[in-house]
Amino acid sequence: MLWVDKYRPTDLVSLDYHDDISQRLESLAKNPASLPHLFFYGPSGAGKRTRISAFLGALFGPSAHKLKLNQREFTTPTGRTVEIHMISSDYHIELSPGDAGTSDRFVIQDVLKDIASSKNIRSSTEIKVVVLHQVDRLSKQAQAALRRTMEKYAVTCRLILCCDSPSKLIAPLRSRCLGIRVAAPCEDEIAKILKTVASKEEFGLPNSVAIKLARESDRNLRKALLMLEAAKVQAAGNGAIPENQYLPSADWEVYIRQLATDITKEQSPQTLMAAREKLYELLVNCIPASTILKSLTGELLNNLDDSVKLEVIEWASFYEHRIAMGSKDIFHLEAFVAKFMAIYKKYLNDLFG
Amino acid sequence: MSSSDGTPWVERYRPQTLDDVSHQTEVVATLKNAVETGRLPHLLLYGPPGSGKTSVALALCKDLWHPSQWRRRVLELNASDERGISVVREKIKQFASLSVGTADDTKKYPNPPFKVIILDEADTVTKDAQAALRRIIEAHSRITRFILVCNYVTRIIEPLASRCAKFRFMALPPATMKERVTAIAEAEGRKNNVIMEESQIDAVLAVSGGDMRRAVTSLQSVQALLAGQSEDNSKNNIIDEAAINELAGLPPDHVIDTLYESLLSNRFNTMQSAVQNVIADGYSVQTLLQKLLDKFIVTDDLDELGRAKLAIRIAEAEDRMNDGADEYLQLMTVCGLALKCLYTASKKMKQ
């Protein structure tokens, strides 16, 4: 079992940070009948899911953690079938309806109607909970469909929505929920948690390494823990992690860093061709295009003069929008690389005449 | 302990008759007249969310017919129902073309001889389906009235809009809302043993921005929290204005101030790390942009040109985020431009 899962807190009391949120959730859990719909948002690795499952535990007791995975088929009115994986306990169902692509609204309708129309005989508290993950991936239609559904079935069934970027959820839905913002833990909190994990695993973790890991993780606790585990494996043996332990970054990050160096070094059709290969390699390995663009921009900004940074970031946001709108990612990524080369070349020419 | 059942308060305190509807006096007066005479045009109700459009439509129906008649007289369709062109052709057309008898057991009600179809969230009906509606509205206007309810009247095709009497709903002013919200707070508070202070109600109203539904939903959330806490006084943390803002998803002022501060620095890296922090804290970029815009408009640090440029860029960023673009990059673009504009303006001022 990965440490990320092994040391995941399972009840509200043992959550490590954001005590105010934990307290709020606790007081909500005491009174299930008046529970509003909830909307958890915050960056990834901040602990949204952990809080949701801890909250469900507080609401329904330990049996809410007895999960089973099942698969369900939905047939859309147009005759297409979609398969969706769902995680359920006796009291709740979790699913990410975004997986259904364009048929997402039928999935939502079906699941909600199913759940809301049957009453739970096993539980004393009458409400049931549907957790929808990654609601930012839902189509606008599906979100509009949720508006009324949420109100109609509110008597028997509460929704918990969860996503990274709240801006992608339409305002009418946001205003129907109690928003719970889960901020990413700060570096000190991450370092502290890393130390606790290390002591539970019984190996030494120097302060400097813990702080370095926390800083490298971009305030993402999941990433920090995975990096810690990787570092431990590399350090080998069962002793402490040495002070000067090299902390590996993910392969794709190294790759993007290299790409950034390449295109700042030379701007020519040849490098563009080489860049294309790199981009394809990244895409083939299932790195989402917008993530590629974001980290590439991040790397580029590091080596640039302030005067061109604005232009680069403007174009980055322009092409990222195109990626979201279009369907062929490689075009937009390459266009960005070419655009960057043009901007940078011009800057160099102006500088040296 | 609470005795409340699960109905959301928004539903429980929906106005039951036209008289109960607050603030929209003009609309209500016209419609009441229509109820008395039994003559009703097709209606198009539009306005911002939470201003009472759906409530008025439902209250109107409640005033017109005895509850037993509803099933036969009223068809309510909204965006969660299937509403492609096929539904318009089949469901709506079928309902619209059925003729109605007169019920005589309901003397108290005006009981006019027609039916009503309420199309809620009509701006999400596809263009094709709207076009199909045109003919249906006309052909069956003798026995069926349509009430279209929507937020954006511009998304209703012109031929359809011109067939209806249009009513614009205004966002509710805080004073009107306060009366209502206080009443709800007291009624519910008595059940749950929760006493809300006036400052808390004011804070709820402030975050709602004239949206009654949002106000009532926030009120319910706040009371749910207070009810949970009152049972266990040991860790009673107070729900103050800041907490209510937080529940509504609004960023607190100091976050905006810190971000703005970084924009004045004219250093890209300072701005970048400030933006990264805001994103990591999980604030909604849309509301951040809104607050930033408010700040840009009133500040003396900018010249007119800079203000205009920033307003355009913010609009663009909002549009792109609606399309599903990344929040971080969009916020960076806006802040990058702000950095530049603030710098040029400050240079000009020194001269």
Side-chain angles (χ1 to χ4, degrees):
Chain A
M1 206 181 197
L2 287 173
W3 293 349
V4 185
D5 297 317
K6 195 167 164 192
Y7 296 109
R8 187 188 292 275
T10 49
D11 51 29
L12 287 172
V13 186
S14 54
L15 289 170
D16 286 299
Y17 47 92
H18 295 328
D19 289 337
D20 49 337
I21 295 181
S22 314
Q23 271 185 27
R24 247 173 239 168
L25 290 177
E26 221 169 291
S27 48
L28 284 176
K30 277 186 205 138
N31 204 346
S34 63
L35 181 72
H37 298 297
L38 299 180
F39 172 40
F40 284 77
Y41 59 98
S44 66
K48 297 183 293 294
R49 275 185 192 221
T50 310
R51 278 176 181 69
I52 291 176
S53 84
F55 174 66
L56 290 172
L59 197 59
F60 297 122
S63 54
H65 293 305
K66 275 189 204 134
L67 299 173
K68 51 183 185 280
L69 180 73
N70 46 13
Q71 206 173 26
R72 228 184 101 172
E73 268 190 12
F74 296 93
T75 316
T76 64
T78 44
R80 271 185 55 212
T81 51
V82 255
E83 257 180 26
I84 289 286
H85 293 276
M86 304 195 289
I87 299 171
S88 58
S89 76
D90 291 344
Y91 307 97
H92 81 285
I93 289 194
E94 286 178 48
L95 69 162
S96 37
D99 295 347
T102 49
S103 321
D104 47 5
R105 56 178 292 204
F106 305 109
V107 172
I108 287 192
Q109 295 281 302
D110 265 27
V111 171
L112 284 182
K113 269 180 197 160
D114 258 25
I115 293 185
S117 55
S118 64
K119 280 211 168 168
N120 202 337
I121 37 172
R122 290 185 59 181
S123 64
S124 51
T125 51
E126 267 184 36
I127 59 159
K128 281 177 278 187
V129 171
V130 178
V131 185
L132 299 178
H133 290 297
Q134 296 176 314
V135 277
D136 42 359
R137 276 173 59 208
L138 280 180
S139 65
K140 287 270 139 57
Q141 278 178 321
Q143 294 190 21
L146 259 183
R147 282 167 74 161
R148 188 75 191 136
T149 318
M150 275 172 95
E151 288 181 348
K152 217 154 75 186
Y153 298 123
V155 184
T156 45
C157 171
R158 299 298 142 77
L159 290 179
I160 296 181
L161 310 178
C162 169
C163 80
D164 290 349
S165 35
S167 301
K168 289 181 190 170
L169 199 69
I170 56 173
L173 284 190
R174 263 182 283 153
S175 74
R176 278 172 175 77
C177 300
L178 169 61
I180 293 176
R181 180 177 60 87
V182 186
C186 67
E187 284 169 13
D188 295 342
E189 284 164 335
I190 293 184
K192 216 175 99 195
I193 293 167
L194 292 179
K195 294 281 278 185
T196 333
V197 169
S199 72
K200 276 184 192 154
E201 283 290 320
E202 291 170 355
F203 67 88
L205 177 67
N207 268 329
S208 61
V209 179
I211 290 168
K212 200 169 155 210
L213 275 168
R215 199 167 301 144
E216 295 271 304
S217 69
D218 303 323
R219 294 177 65 183
N220 181 335
L221 184 58
R222 185 189 307 121
K223 193 170 164 191
L225 280 169
L226 288 172
M227 276 163 71
L228 175 69
E229 196 161 0
K232 176 76 176 91
V233 172
Q234 279 205 339
N238 37 17
I241 292 180
E243 288 261 352
N244 56 357
Q245 171 67 37
Y246 164 72
L247 301 175
S249 346
D251 283 348
W252 62 273
E253 283 175 339
V254 179
Y255 214 72
I256 288 180
R257 201 166 300 150
Q258 207 187 343
L259 175 64
T261 342
D262 286 355
I263 59 178
T264 17
K265 215 178 271 168
E266 191 192 328
Q267 295 80 39
S268 67
Q270 284 81 24
T271 20
L272 189 56
M273 284 302 285
R276 168 182 295 179
E277 255 163 54
K278 281 216 164 68
L279 291 174
Y280 262 123
E281 185 70 27
L282 287 165
L283 286 175
V284 165
N285 283 300
C286 288
I287 313 290
S290 76
T291 313
I292 299 178
L293 193 83
K294 244 165 86 175
S295 22
L296 181 61
T297 318
E299 294 296 338
L300 288 173
L301 287 181
N302 286 340
N303 328 330
L304 283 181
D305 185 75
D306 271 11
S307 58
V308 275
K309 273 180 181 170
L310 175 60
E311 209 178 340
V312 171
I313 192 83
E314 271 179 2
W315 284 107
S317 72
F318 175 81
Y319 285 113
E320 202 275 333
H321 174 227
R322 287 262 174 106
I323 289 176
M325 295 294 286
S327 54
K328 195 85 179 135
D329 299 338
I330 187 74
F331 291 157
H332 309 294
L333 288 175
E334 262 185 41
F336 173 68
V337 170
K339 189 78 203 177
F340 168 76
M341 284 183 177
I343 294 170
Y344 195 61
K345 188 107 183 172
K346 184 163 177 300
Y347 162 74
L348 288 179
N349 282 344
D350 290 349
L351 200 62
F352 300 114
Chain B
M1 202 44 224
S2 115
S3 60
S4 54
D5 53 8
T7 22
W9 297 1
V10 186
E11 290 296 326
R12 209 183 299 166
Y13 293 98
R14 217 183 251 295
Q16 294 302 310
T17 66
L18 282 174
D19 290 319
D20 290 349
V21 175
S22 50
H23 188 60
Q24 316 289 357
T25 41
E26 213 169 302
V27 183
V28 169
T30 320
L31 290 182
K32 270 169 91 173
N33 188 26
V35 170
E36 275 159 29
T37 56
R39 265 191 290 210
L40 188 72
H42 300 296
L43 299 176
L44 174 59
L45 312 178
Y46 63 100
S51 52
K53 302 177 296 295
T54 313
S55 298
V56 163
L58 291 174
L60 175 71
C61 296
K62 282 176 192 159
D63 276 0
L64 283 175
W65 294 292
H66 187 263
S68 66
Q69 288 286 307
W70 278 23
R71 244 170 54 92
R72 264 179 289 168
R73 301 281 192 160
V74 183
L75 177 67
E76 193 193 348
L77 288 172
N78 57 55
S80 47
D81 303 301
E82 178 62 48
R83 294 202 297 195
I85 189 155
S86 59
V87 174
V88 171
R89 283 203 185 122
E90 286 155 26
K91 209 167 167 186
I92 296 185
K93 201 170 170 185
Q94 200 205 0
F95 185 83
S97 57
L98 282 174
S99 62
V100 285
T102 42
D104 44 10
D105 58 328
T106 51
K107 289 266 161 26
K108 235 176 79 197
Y109 292 84
N111 231 346
F114 52 75
K115 290 168 301 181
V116 163
I117 297 183
I118 302 175
L119 270 180
D120 209 347
E121 290 149 45
D123 37 11
T124 60
V125 176
T126 57
K127 284 248 149 43
D128 288 345
Q130 288 191 31
L133 265 180
R134 288 161 60 168
R135 192 68 203 130
I136 297 175
I137 287 193
E138 278 193 342
H140 302 290
S141 62
R142 213 171 47 81
I143 42 167
T144 305
R145 299 288 180 279
F146 281 80
I147 303 181
L148 306 183
V149 178
C150 66
N151 293 135
Y152 305 101
V153 73
T154 43
R155 297 208 187 135
I156 305 292
I157 58 171
E158 185 52 35
L160 203 55
S162 69
R163 282 171 170 77
C164 307
K166 286 185 215 165
F167 289 102
R168 200 171 87 89
F169 281 64
M170 264 144 327
L172 298 168
T176 324
M177 284 172 71
K178 189 166 181 180
E179 200 182 314
R180 202 51 170 266
V181 170
T182 315
I184 297 177
E186 273 169 12
E188 286 294 331
R190 225 171 291 131
K191 283 190 215 162
N192 299 339
N193 269 331
V194 177
I195 298 154
M196 280 184 78
E197 283 158 34
E198 196 174 342
S199 65
Q200 288 172 327
I201 291 181
D202 282 338
V204 166
L205 291 177
V207 299
S208 72
D211 180 339
M212 192 68 184
R213 168 168 29 227
R214 198 159 166 196
V216 177
T217 317
S218 317
L219 186 73
Q220 185 174 8
S221 307
V222 171
Q223 284 216 356
L225 285 174
L226 285 171
Q229 276 170 3
S230 61
E231 282 162 37
D232 169 16
N233 282 316
S234 54
K235 36 184 170 179
N236 199 354
N237 67 349
I238 295 151
I239 308 278
D240 54 3
E241 201 184 325
I244 291 172
N245 273 338
E246 172 80 47
L247 294 179
L250 295 178
D253 287 338
H254 69 86
V255 172
I256 305 286
D257 290 340
T258 330
L259 186 61
Y260 190 74
E261 210 66 358
S262 77
L263 295 180
L264 290 172
S265 69
N266 190 34
R267 302 220 345 243
F268 198 89
N269 289 346
T270 322
M271 183 276 283
Q272 191 177 3
S273 57
V275 169
Q276 275 164 351
N277 273 332
V278 177
I279 295 281
D281 281 336
Y283 291 107
S284 152
V285 173
Q286 233 158 13
T287 42
L288 277 175
L289 286 180
Q290 176 73 49
K291 290 237 168 179
L292 273 180
L293 181 65
D294 292 348
K295 205 143 192 152
F296 289 148
I297 285 174
V298 293
T299 181
D300 291 327
D301 303 333
L302 277 169
D303 52 3
E304 296 300 318
L305 182 65
R307 252 191 274 273
K309 274 187 186 165
L310 280 168
I312 293 176
R313 178 44 51 77
I314 287 178
E316 220 170 67
E318 212 269 346
D319 175 47
R320 284 179 184 171
M321 282 193 301
N322 255 343
D323 289 336
D326 185 77
E327 294 182 317
Y328 166 68
L329 285 176
Q330 297 304 332
L331 187 60
M332 276 294 277
T333 334
V334 171
C335 289
L337 186 70
L339 200 68
K340 198 172 137 195
C341 291
L342 283 167
Y343 179 63
T344 30
S346 76
K347 243 187 2 192
K348 230 192 255 170
M349 260 174 252
K350 271 181 204 145
Q351 276 172 5

